[in-house]
Amino acid sequence: MAQLLIVYHSRTGGARQMAEAAAEAAQDEAETILKPADQAGPDDLLRADGYLFCAPENLAAISGLMKEFFDRSYYPVLGKIEGRPYAQMVCAGSDGENAARQMARIATGWRLKEVQPPLIICTHAQSPAAILAEKTVPDDQLDQCREIGAALAAGLTLGVF
């Protein structure tokens, strides 16, 4: 059975909710592993057939713990996961574009195949209090995460990617 690895980091709950929604939908289509970035590593990447990366944008970049996951994993899997499909989701307070670009550059270095444009969910958190507050992602936006999880897992199972 095909395996989808979903790696995420979340400080205020938004990216976690997105990753959990994607994983919930993906489980119906393929074996799905949901791992926080601080618990995921090269062995997880090597075992999986495809990936969904989900992180918040912090200070116009991916969160530090997500970056640390990529730093720990990059060279141990370099040249070993080429051609595998991936997608990404970003939870952002304003635009999320730079975090998406950053993850895409890492995936390009691994020679992964993007199968879905980045999903960026904007919380519009602009004040320090709003930025630090626990997030609640609306159901209609979580539905988009579910669609990505289900589609990526189904594509893996059917051998589309």
Side-chain angles (χ1 to χ4, degrees):
M1 179 178 235
Q3 185 184 96
L4 173 63
L5 174 64
I6 301 174
V7 179
Y8 75 95
H9 176 251
S10 186
R11 290 189 192 282
T12 60
R16 177 187 47 77
Q17 292 168 56
M18 293 168 65
E20 288 174 348
E24 174 190 333
Q27 289 174 354
D28 293 337
E29 304 293 338
E31 179 183 356
T32 304
I33 307 297
L34 176 66
K35 281 211 167 181
D38 63 343
Q39 296 174 24
D43 289 341
D44 299 300
L45 289 161
L46 292 170
R47 276 191 297 272
D49 300 296
Y51 316 103
L52 179 55
F53 304 117
C54 182
E57 181 175 61
N58 296 144
L59 304 172
I62 59 174
S63 64
L65 280 178
M66 192 68 174
K67 174 72 166 60
E68 198 272 334
F69 156 74
F70 287 122
D71 288 345
R72 270 186 297 107
S73 302
Y74 191 83
Y75 291 108
V77 303
L78 188 62
K80 299 176 183 174
I81 60 173
E82 292 177 358
R84 294 183 191 178
Y86 87 97
Q88 61 169 305
M89 302 184 301
V90 175
C91 187
S94 50
D95 76 10
E97 295 290 332
N98 199 51
R101 273 192 299 275
Q102 193 175 10
M103 283 194 280
R105 287 183 60 95
I106 293 165
T108 297
W110 274 336
R111 307 296 188 264
L112 299 179
K113 181 169 77 172
E114 182 184 68
V115 297
Q116 159 81 33
L119 171 63
I120 298 172
I121 291 182
C122 187
T123 65
H124 304 286
Q126 296 300 301
S127 69
I131 291 166
L132 296 172
E134 194 70 16
K135 306 295 183 286
T136 300
V137 179
D139 282 334
D140 63 322
Q141 293 178 325
L142 290 176
D143 284 343
Q144 295 175 62
C145 302
R146 289 182 189 100
E147 289 172 13
I148 290 173
L152 186 53
L156 287 172
T157 297
L158 294 171
V160 173
F161 307 123

